[in-house]
């Protein structure tokens, strides 16, 4: 299972890191951050390196 967490400029770190930590324990899951352009994404406290872009997500399913 491929789980993606989209990030945007000035995101709240807890909104991204909290789900990342919990979802990372799902057996067989790969969790990754995506953004419009790879590189350092600015959050309200600093920055987080992101290596994948939105266009690399093949499909998304909501629950």
């Amino acid at each position: 299972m491929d789980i993606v967490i989209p990030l945007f400029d000035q995101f709240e770190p807890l909104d991204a890191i909290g789900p990342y930590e919990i979802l990372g324990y799902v057996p067989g899951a790969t969790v990754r951050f995506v953004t419009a352009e790879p590189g350092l994404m600015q959050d309200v406290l600093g920055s987080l390196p992101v290596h994948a872009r939105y266009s690399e997500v093949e499909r998304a399913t909501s629950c």
Side-chain angles (χ1 to χ4, degrees):
M1 176 185 334
D2 187 25
I3 301 171
V4 295
I5 300 173
L7 297 180
F8 51 89
D9 197 35
Q10 297 300 311
F11 70 95
E12 289 287 339
L14 187 57
D15 292 343
I17 302 303
Y20 174 81
E21 183 176 0
I22 298 302
L23 294 169
Y25 289 105
V26 173
T30 300
V31 183
R32 61 188 170 132
F33 297 111
V34 295
T35 185
E37 290 296 323
L40 288 178
M41 178 57 60
Q42 296 298 311
D43 62 45
V44 295
L45 300 174
S47 61
L48 177 75
V50 180
H51 304 288
R53 56 177 48 101
Y54 301 138
S55 62
E56 295 174 31
V57 177
E58 293 181 22
R59 66 186 177 104
T61 305
S62 61
C63 300

